[in-house]
């Protein structure tokens, strides 16, 4: 499974599929998840992860590179240079793992590995190849290469891009986004989970997340939310700030005195499913993985930012389907969330609307199709 650890979503989806394949055919397959750029490629390609973190924090950079690389001649030029510089490294990776199936879960791991596999097969690719698109409401054209055997897409919006990129209906499979095993089953009782996570069982819970890297003005949002709750509904709600891999933000938030508002600060949490099960409301950047997980747990979702291009389509996915709103302004975000908390009926309706968009079977269906391809 080829990924790059840009954000947390690619690895989370790959791990979900690995776990499901193992549960369907225990001990039969040897799945390797490889961050091919970091582990095999030379400079500057091996700096993608830190480059992504910088761009995700400065979204204008992301915006220009995303849109520029979506223009076909620019795409072809970048592909040409990637082939030139990365092909030997991808070839080393593929020779070392000698796969019976290659699954790409990143937009930049189609073109080069397909070329390598063709060359290794003497001009004809022998190894089956599948793409699993881990974006939700929109997708970069790089995801779609007409040479793949299967392309798994999560939504109608992404299907449209796949068709525009000339993939055929035989290649496309629409199941949803893969999610990790903790989301496959119904959650344990909320009270039990809250106690385990050190949360107050009597207060409403606002979960604040910024993807795997803890990006998107999290600090200002936590502060505005804490102030809003203190001012309008003192003692009735708590905030859980999940900082992901953003260690600096975590230390900053931990060092603060939050007074009588319960603000629980966490780093990268492994039990996201449990946190979502305890949450009455979530504030998050428009990350596809987090949104898909929120639909399964039925969590009303306030979107606070999105990566231009890549995550833009995730905003209408949430707002048009009636389980959330979008604002970039921390005070507006805090006010909206506080009003939801004060209106249990609205919370219930939004929770229902979220569940109506959930695709909890997606992991099972994609993994079954991949196992079929291995035959
Ligand atoms: N995540 C997690 N623990 C954390 C923060 C994030 O498990 O502390 C997971 C989150 O549940 C989701 C993924 O990381 O599955 C983030 O993916 P998403 O597509 O939302 O955003 P990305 O980080 O890829 O931009």
């Amino acid at each position: 499974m080829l990924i790059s650890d840009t954000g947390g979503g690619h690895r989370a989806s790959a791990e979900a599929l690995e776990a499901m394949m193992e549960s369907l055919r225990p001990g039969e397959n040897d799945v390797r998840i490889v961050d091919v750029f970091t582990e095999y490629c030379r400079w500057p390609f091996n700096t993608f992860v830190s480059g992504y973190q910088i761009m995700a924090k400065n979204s204008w950079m992301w915006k220009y590179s995303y849109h520029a690389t979506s223009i076909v001649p620019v795409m072809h030029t970048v592909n040409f240079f990637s082939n030139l510089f990365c092909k030997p490294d991808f070839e080393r990776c593929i020779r070392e793992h000698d796969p019976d199936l290659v699954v790409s879960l990143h937009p930049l791991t189609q073109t080069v590995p397909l070329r390598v596999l063709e060359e290794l097969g003497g001009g004809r690719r022998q190894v089956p190849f599948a793409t699993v698109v881990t974006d939700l409401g929109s997708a970069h054209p790089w995801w779609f290469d007409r040479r793949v055997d299967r392309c798994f897409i999560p939504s109608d919006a992404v299907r449209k891009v796949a068709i525009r990129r000339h993939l055929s209906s035989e290649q496309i499979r629409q199941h949803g986004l893969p999610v990790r095993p903790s989301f496959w089953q119904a959650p344990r009782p909320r009270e039990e989970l809250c106690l385990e996570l050190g949360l107050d069982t009597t207060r409403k819970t606002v979960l604040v997340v910024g993807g795997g890297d803890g990006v998107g003005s999290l600090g200002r949002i936590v502060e505005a939310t804490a102030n809003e709750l203190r001012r309008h509904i003192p003692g009735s709600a708590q905030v859980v700030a999940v900082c992901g891999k953003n260690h600096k933000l975590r230390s900053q938030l931990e060092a603060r005195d939050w007074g009588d508002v319960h603000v629980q600060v966490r780093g990268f949490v492994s039990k996201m499913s449990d946190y979502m099960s305890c949450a009455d409301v979530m504030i998050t950047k428009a990350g596809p993985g987090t949104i898909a997980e929120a639909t399964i747990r039925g969590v009303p979702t306030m979107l606070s930012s999105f990566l231009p291009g890549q995550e833009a389509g995730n905003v209408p996915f949430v707002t048009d389907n009636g389980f959330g709103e979008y604002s970039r302004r921390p005070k507006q975000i805090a006010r909206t969330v506080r009003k939801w908390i004060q209106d249990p009926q609205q919370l219930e309706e939004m929770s229902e609307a979220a569940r109506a968009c959930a695709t909890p079977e997606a992991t099972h269906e994609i993994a079954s199709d991949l196992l079929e391809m291995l035959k």
Side-chain angles (χ1 to χ4, degrees), residues 143-163:
W143 276 108
F144 307 101
D145 191 304
R146 290 164 71 178
R147 294 169 294 173
V148 300
D149 300 302
R150 288 277 176 279
C151 180
F152 296 94
I153 46 124
S155 65
D156 292 340
V158 176
R159 174 183 286 273
K160 281 187 193 142
V161 190
I163 290 169

Side-chain angles (χ1 to χ4, degrees), residues 301-374:
T301 300
M302 182 72 212
L303 298 177
S304 55
S305 65
F306 61 88
L307 280 178
Q310 180 172 317
E311 292 177 345
N314 300 344
V315 177
F317 182 84
V318 170
T319 55
D320 295 355
N321 283 311
F323 65 97
E325 288 183 32
Y326 166 72
S327 170
R328 285 175 52 195
R329 303 211 311 273
K331 281 190 183 158
Q332 173 73 28
I333 291 169
R335 206 173 311 128
T336 309
V337 162
R338 187 259 302 163
K339 284 185 183 159
W340 289 351
I341 288 177
Q342 288 180 301
D343 187 347
Q345 184 168 348
Q346 188 182 4
L347 272 188
E348 189 46 45
E349 282 168 13
M350 291 172 80
S351 180
E352 276 304 306
R355 283 201 182 88
C357 299
T359 51
E361 294 298 317
T363 321
H364 183 269
E365 287 165 347
I366 299 171
S368 304
D369 285 358
L370 292 177
L371 289 169
E372 197 59 34
M373 288 177 78
L374 266 171

Side-chain angles (χ1 to χ4, degrees), residues 6-10 12 52 134 180 183 209-213 215 242-245 267-272 276 284-291 293 307 310-311:
T6 45
H10 304 287
Y52 172 86
T134 62
R180 289 163 295 172
F183 287 93
V209 189
D213 294 327
V215 292
V242 176
C243 303
K245 291 178 249 167
F268 191 91
V269 301
S270 56
K271 296 184 171 180
M272 187 57 90
M276 287 195 188
T284 176
K285 75 166 188 106
T290 308
I291 293 172
E293 291 164 357
L307 280 178
Q310 180 172 317
E311 292 177 345

